[in-house]
Amino acid sequence: MIEHELTVSNRLGLHARATAKLVQTLSAYRSSATLTAKGREVNAKSIMGVMLLAAGKGTQVRLRVEGEDEDRAAEAVISLFERRFDEDS
């Protein structure tokens, strides 16, 4: 199991487009993934779940990935957060 703290740093936070990118990224992996923020834990492969976090810019989230390809899945999500979901260019 891999856990990693992330900060939402794109201007609009985890809005629909950013959430869709996150879910699309994770769909390529077999591992399960959760995000925790504001006392809520959600399935990171669920658009509705991630949207319910209402994570705006600056929100701290904890990523937890568990499964056979957890290393690659976690790296892909970390990269997506670091690239600010390819927004704010």
Side-chain angles (χ1 to χ4, degrees):
M1 177 173 56
I2 295 175
E3 291 191 349
H4 195 85
E5 294 290 333
L6 299 165
T7 301
V8 178
S9 58
N10 59 318
R11 187 171 52 91
L12 299 176
L14 288 179
H15 60 88
R17 192 172 336 131
T19 298
K21 266 193 168 178
L22 172 65
V23 170
Q24 183 178 16
T25 297
L26 282 169
S27 70
Y29 302 96
R30 297 180 60 114
S31 295
S32 63
T34 60
L35 285 179
T36 304
K38 303 177 184 177
R40 292 187 192 147
E41 181 175 297
V42 300
N43 178 353
K45 290 184 170 182
S46 163
I47 289 176
M48 290 305 295
V50 176
M51 292 289 293
L52 286 174
L53 290 177
K57 183 177 181 178
T59 302
Q60 299 287 319
V61 298
R62 176 180 290 271
L63 169 69
R64 187 173 58 226
V65 184
E66 187 169 7
E68 62 189 67
D69 53 2
E70 62 190 24
D71 292 335
R72 290 182 288 133
E75 286 175 21
V77 172
I78 292 167
S79 174
L80 189 61
F81 271 74
E82 289 176 349
R83 295 190 329 261
R84 298 180 185 158
F85 299 88
D86 300 323
E87 300 174 348
D88 303 336
S89 54

